[in-house]
Amino acid sequence: MRHRMLWPCLLAAIWTQVVSAEEPTFYPKLRTAWIPRGTAQLLKPYLPAPEGSSANYRFVVETPDYVKFITTETMMGSPPKDVQVSPGETRGDTRYTKHTLCYDLYPSSGFELSMCWQTQEGSTLCYQPAIRAGGTFDWQHLTAPITPPKGAAQAKPLIIKWPNRGITGTFWVDNVVIREEGSKENLLRAGTFDEPEWKSGLLVPKGKDGSKCAKFVCTEDLAQKQQALWVDPDRKGVPVDPARKYVVELDLKAQKLGPPKETPIACLLFRVSGSVPEGTATIYTYALGTDGRPVKPQETELVVLPPLKNVRPKTARIAPCMYGQMFSEPVAKAYAENAWRSGITWTYGNIHNNIVPLLQPRGHRVWLAKPGHPFGAHGKAAREFIKQHTDVRAILFTGKPSGHTFCPTWLLSNEGVEVRKAMDDELVELVNRDGYMAVNWDIEQPVLDPPEKGFCFCERCLAAFRKESKLPAEEKLDPKAILEKHKEAWVMFRCRQNADLVKHCRTALKRCKQPIEFSVYSGYQCQKTREHYGVDWALLAPHLDLGIAGYGCPRKNVQATIKALGGVPFIGGENYYLSATPRPGATGWMGKSLSHRPHPETWRNQLLRQFVESGCNGVLIWYLPTMDGAAFYHTSEAAEIIATYEDFFRRSKRCDSSFKVTGMKPEHWAALEDGAMKMLLLFNFTKEQVDAAVEQPDLQGKWTVQMHGREGNPPINPAKFTHKIKPWGTAILIFRQAETK
């Protein structure tokens, strides 16, 4: 009894040591978690490093007892071996539930055993991390449960150190086992690395029992490169049944393994019922020391938001990207329900995940992200052809041939017809098989930015460029001369080649069983897009049903793209957050993007602004797995507004010139009109109230004013008034001209 009375006092004393509010507690770089009422959301707490041994790591997440734990997600974060759920402390009037995450080792990264799930035909469904580890420790025996995704017929385990993560150190792997749950039989034929079939140079006699093992030395010069080994000498998989459960085991040793400044995360699915009141509470997180006491305790604000609006536009598309990721069944169901109730009716990517199939019966549609880059040897027939015909390979800026890219001039010529048709046939077969209604080609292929990634500088292409540019025969043409003297002309030459290939693709898709909407995704219309991605929208426009670009470009670039498309509908994009999991070794633009946190408070405004700026057709979102409770809620707000005025949006035209708005930036408001109705949208992207002074200098006749979300007509003069917009708020004012008798 004495200890029970002392423990709350001790806990309170420990909590006075809470780390500065500047230190994030939940990924990505947040100290707030959001769960709309009646939804399940993924929460991703950072896991602080232990002060002593990395063995038997324990981390606790205490939530109000109305926040119900469902499951962990293995595809994102570091899944614990077990989650122990028990009563927590009562703080004030709130009872808490304690969730203790149990790990054999502190879940640093560096080493990963990834399961490559494949169909019976050998097509890859997805890669799923089974075991991850990093740090310094002697031989440890690690196990993890795995369940094949739907459609999997075989599993290929891959030992891997992923690229672009800055990982250094050394690790040793031995005695890899895949067995059915409850069985001792190892389904792998060569998991000990002592089998005579092994020829890999990674094998050394340094295993746990002195036998052979796989040793990976990750030096500084290899920090951004991939190092991997399939756990089979012939890269063969083992048969699996999605209806059965399996266990992975291995022995692992590591020394100073991991990326710089890494803090791993867990990924936990929690639900809040629809009866829970809206408001704020606190989540408490901490590691447990060897004495069982909290270490590095933290507090995180929990915000219970209103329910998702559950309203969907009829034709406008709010469409996040979603590719071939597979999640646990409860997480997939949560994503699907959140997407549907947020107003999302399209996704961009493919149907080969376990979220889209849950939405398709409700009418959900998917843009197929067309596989392959322009002039790439995509598909079995094309790869075999370029392998045997070295003379048709593209020549890079460096003078070296590309082993996977065709010479554009050759492929577009009559000589390339059969290869082009073979690739087109594979695309048509894919579209027909999976029932797509829309196909998009993501074209982001450098021309001369940077120069070393440009192609093709073979004699065929140089001759074609000379003829098109009307250059004299005696003028020397090589990559250096083009870069110094003919850069802009060469860029347009390559943009025209890409446009010609797009035209062929459009023609091929007309052979599909059903009509196909064909579009291209790339950067916004500007010189940078031409040089860096090989796209000029004016050249593509005659061959498109739709153009898509993203993310976050200035208004002038959006307008330039719409103008270049010349009447072809356009959709712009918004980036919620780049990655669903940390990437501590990321550099360049990726590292810069990941250095910021998402801003859910502005998300509704971002979506609505992009929707209006890009022509009221929709918004592309990067990307579904990064969306949290706040993103889904504010998406649902935007979807409700779009659905409410969808007919007006579709018919309207911009009329910014008829308004004068001061007190906010020009890009923070927009005006539309259709006949006797006008709409003024005011977006507050700041944490302070904004007073917008609005005038319509040339307004004539009698007009009424209505504010979206409010009943009745406010007593304001439609020709001149001031409107207060709350922090992060959206104000939509509707002006209707009274009928004359």
Side-chain angles (χ1 to χ4, degrees):
M1 180 63 70
R2 181 169 179 264
H3 290 290
R4 283 183 60 85
M5 294 179 66
L6 280 173
W7 177 246
C9 297
L10 178 60
L11 189 63
I14 291 172
W15 233 263
T16 63
Q17 305 169 22
V18 169
V19 179
S20 164
E22 296 302 315
E23 183 173 335
T25 52
F26 279 71
Y27 181 81
K29 302 184 184 299
L30 299 168
R31 290 190 66 88
T32 304
W34 301 268
I35 305 180
R37 289 168 46 200
T39 72
Q41 304 294 336
L42 287 171
L43 304 186
K44 304 173 183 178
Y46 287 107
L47 305 175
E51 295 180 346
S53 171
S54 60
N56 298 315
Y57 181 77
R58 300 291 183 269
F59 183 79
V60 176
V61 179
E62 286 198 56
T63 63
D65 63 359
Y66 54 78
V67 181
K68 304 298 183 183
F69 173 70
I70 301 176
T71 190
T72 59
E73 177 50 61
T74 61
M75 287 298 291
M76 294 188 287
S78 300
K81 185 176 182 180
D82 184 32
V83 178
Q84 299 172 354
V85 181
S86 60
E89 297 296 316
T90 297
R91 298 174 172 88
D93 296 329
T94 305
R95 289 182 298 177
Y96 275 74
T97 300
K98 185 177 179 180
H99 310 85
T100 304
L101 284 57
C102 305
Y103 296 85
D104 290 334
L105 289 170
Y106 175 66
S108 178
S109 65
F111 160 82
E112 181 177 309
L113 184 73
S114 186
M115 303 303 300
C116 176
W117 301 110
Q118 295 186 330
T119 64
Q120 188 66 52
E121 296 75 27
S123 298
T124 297
L125 291 173
C126 65
Y127 285 82
Q128 177 184 1
I131 298 176
R132 291 186 179 122
T136 297
F137 50 87
D138 206 345
W139 286 105
Q140 297 278 341
H141 187 70
L142 306 178
T143 66
I146 55 172
T147 302
K150 182 180 178 181
Q154 53 184 328
K156 293 173 65 176
L158 175 68
I159 298 169
I160 187 166
K161 190 255 335 182
W162 289 101
N164 302 319
R165 301 186 184 181
I167 296 170
T168 58
T170 306
F171 63 89
W172 298 257
V173 190
D174 203 358
N175 303 318
V176 183
V177 173
I178 298 179
R179 58 179 175 83
E180 192 173 338
E181 190 176 63
S183 171
K184 295 183 179 179
E185 179 187 0
N186 188 1
L187 301 178
L188 293 173
R189 66 186 183 95
T192 69
F193 303 110
D194 295 311
E195 294 79 7
E197 300 94 331
W198 280 107
K199 306 297 181 184
S200 173
L202 293 170
L203 304 189
V204 296
K206 300 285 185 178
K208 184 176 181 180
D209 53 4
S211 60
K212 288 184 180 179
C213 69
K215 179 182 179 181
F216 289 73
V217 180
C218 313
T219 57
E220 289 285 350
D221 60 324
L222 295 174
Q224 302 296 345
K225 297 182 179 180
Q226 178 175 298
Q227 295 171 265
L229 177 68
W230 293 101
V231 190
D232 186 278
D234 300 317
R235 298 189 178 185
K236 293 182 178 179
V238 297
V240 293
D241 182 352
R244 300 183 180 183
K245 295 183 178 180
Y246 298 83
V247 176
V248 176
E249 302 181 42
L250 55 82
D251 293 315
L252 184 68
K253 176 182 175 182
Q255 183 175 8
K256 297 181 179 179
L257 177 64
K261 300 179 181 179
E262 177 196 29
T263 303
I265 63 170
C267 195
L268 313 172
L269 185 67
F270 288 97
R271 172 173 288 278
V272 168
S273 76
S275 61
V276 173
E278 297 151 23
T280 61
T282 303
I283 296 174
Y284 298 90
T285 57
Y286 50 89
L288 289 178
T290 54
D291 58 359
R293 296 183 179 183
V295 177
K296 298 182 179 178
Q298 293 274 21
E299 296 180 7
T300 300
E301 180 185 39
L302 169 66
V303 180
V304 177
L305 293 166
L308 301 178
K309 300 295 184 180
N310 200 23
V311 177
R312 286 156 294 282
K314 294 178 182 178
T315 58
R317 310 177 198 184
I318 301 175
C321 298
M322 182 64 206
Y323 299 90
Q325 299 96 321
M326 293 286 185
F327 300 99
S328 65
E329 184 177 336
V331 171
K333 287 182 177 179
Y335 269 127
E337 194 62 23
N338 288 329
W340 177 252
R341 292 171 62 191
S342 296
I344 291 168
T345 54
W346 282 73
T347 45
Y348 176 103
N350 58 57
I351 66 171
H352 297 292
N353 52 69
N354 57 349
I355 296 174
V356 166
L358 299 175
L359 292 167
Q360 285 180 306
R362 297 176 172 182
H364 185 87
R365 292 188 175 185
V366 180
W367 276 297
L368 169 66
K370 178 189 176 302
H373 296 293
F375 303 103
H378 181 76
K380 185 176 180 180
R383 288 194 296 269
E384 188 61 30
F385 189 92
I386 201 170
K387 182 180 179 181
Q388 296 179 3
H389 299 80
T390 58
D391 59 314
V392 301
R393 296 178 181 179
I395 302 300
L396 304 177
F397 189 87
T398 59
K400 296 180 179 180
S402 169
H404 51 78
T405 305
F406 288 109
C407 161
T409 302
W410 178 85
L411 189 65
L412 290 169
S413 71
N414 291 334
E415 295 180 49
V417 168
E418 290 303 315
V419 172
R420 206 169 60 234
K421 184 178 183 302
M423 292 192 287
D424 290 342
D425 288 346
E426 289 193 13
L427 175 62
V428 171
E429 181 184 357
L430 170 62
V431 172
N432 287 338
R433 183 193 70 203
D434 292 346
Y436 293 104
M437 304 295 290
V439 175
N440 178 274
W441 201 352
D442 181 352
I443 300 181
E444 302 181 57
Q445 196 173 52
V447 176
L448 283 175
D449 180 25
E452 60 269 19
K453 291 191 176 181
F455 70 91
C456 165
F457 300 94
C458 73
E459 291 303 319
R460 276 183 298 260
C461 287
L462 293 177
F465 174 68
R466 184 187 299 275
K467 181 178 180 181
E468 181 179 296
S469 302
K470 299 179 180 180
L471 297 176
E474 62 272 14
E475 181 170 349
K476 181 181 179 181
L477 276 184
D478 58 21
K480 184 179 179 182
I482 286 174
L483 184 62
E484 293 177 352
K485 298 181 180 180
H486 308 289
K487 180 178 179 180
E488 188 169 345
W490 177 264
V491 168
M492 292 306 298
F493 170 72
R494 287 287 293 109
C495 285
R496 276 188 284 273
Q497 288 183 323
N498 284 343
D500 287 345
L501 193 63
V502 165
K503 178 182 178 181
H504 285 298
C505 183
R506 168 68 179 272
T507 301
L509 288 171
K510 291 180 180 179
R511 296 193 275 117
C512 293
K513 295 178 181 178
Q514 63 281 350
I516 300 297
E517 177 196 81
F518 180 56
S519 59
V520 162
Y521 169 90
S522 194
Y524 290 91
Q525 181 79 348
C526 62
Q527 186 63 22
K528 176 75 173 180
T529 294
R530 289 187 282 271
E531 294 179 5
H532 192 62
Y533 293 145
V535 163
D536 183 293
W537 286 105
L539 297 176
L540 296 184
H543 318 304
L544 301 179
D545 300 307
L546 177 73
I548 309 175
Y551 299 88
C553 257
R555 173 180 283 181
K556 65 177 183 178
N557 296 90
V558 178
Q559 293 173 341
T561 307
I562 293 173
K563 181 179 179 181
L565 283 166
V568 175
F570 174 69
I571 289 177
E574 288 293 330
N575 173 23
Y576 185 67
Y577 200 68
L578 187 63
S579 175
T581 55
R583 297 193 176 188
T587 58
W589 68 268
M590 182 180 293
K592 183 178 180 181
S593 178
L594 292 171
S595 68
H596 304 287
R597 71 170 182 87
H599 291 278
E601 58 270 18
T602 67
W603 186 239
R604 178 206 326 105
N605 285 342
Q606 288 177 244
L607 293 177
L608 288 172
R609 180 177 64 176
Q610 184 63 259
F611 174 76
V612 171
E613 294 286 6
S614 57
C616 299
N617 298 300
V619 184
L620 184 72
I621 297 172
W622 181 267
Y623 87 119
L624 187 64
T626 68
M627 294 179 71
D628 55 23
F632 284 120
Y633 177 71
H634 294 302
T635 299
S636 79
E637 289 184 309
E640 181 188 42
I641 292 170
I642 292 170
T644 301
Y645 305 103
E646 187 166 14
D647 291 340
F648 169 80
F649 281 130
R650 188 168 56 249
R651 297 190 306 263
S652 67
K653 296 182 179 180
R654 291 293 288 269
C655 64
D656 295 29
S657 60
S658 65
F659 285 82
K660 180 181 179 182
V661 179
T662 56
M664 60 195 320
K665 295 179 179 180
E667 61 269 26
H668 290 178
W669 66 273
L672 302 165
E673 66 177 349
D674 175 47
M677 177 176 169
K678 295 182 180 182
M679 176 185 290
L680 178 65
L681 300 98
L682 306 171
F683 307 120
N684 187 354
F685 283 88
T686 74
K687 61 182 179 180
E688 307 292 339
Q689 176 180 290
V690 168
D691 295 342
V694 180
E695 293 184 44
Q696 297 187 73
D698 301 322
L699 190 66
Q700 296 181 3
K702 187 176 180 180
W703 292 73
T704 61
V705 184
Q706 182 183 359
M707 294 184 186
H708 173 75
R710 297 185 189 180
E711 294 184 1
N713 298 327
I716 60 176
N717 176 8
K720 186 176 182 179
F721 62 91
T722 298
H723 189 72
K724 300 181 184 299
I725 307 120
K726 65 182 181 180
W728 316 117
T730 305
I732 299 177
L733 294 95
I734 311 298
F735 304 85
R736 288 185 173 89
Q737 188 172 25
E739 294 183 6
T740 57
K741 295 183 180 180

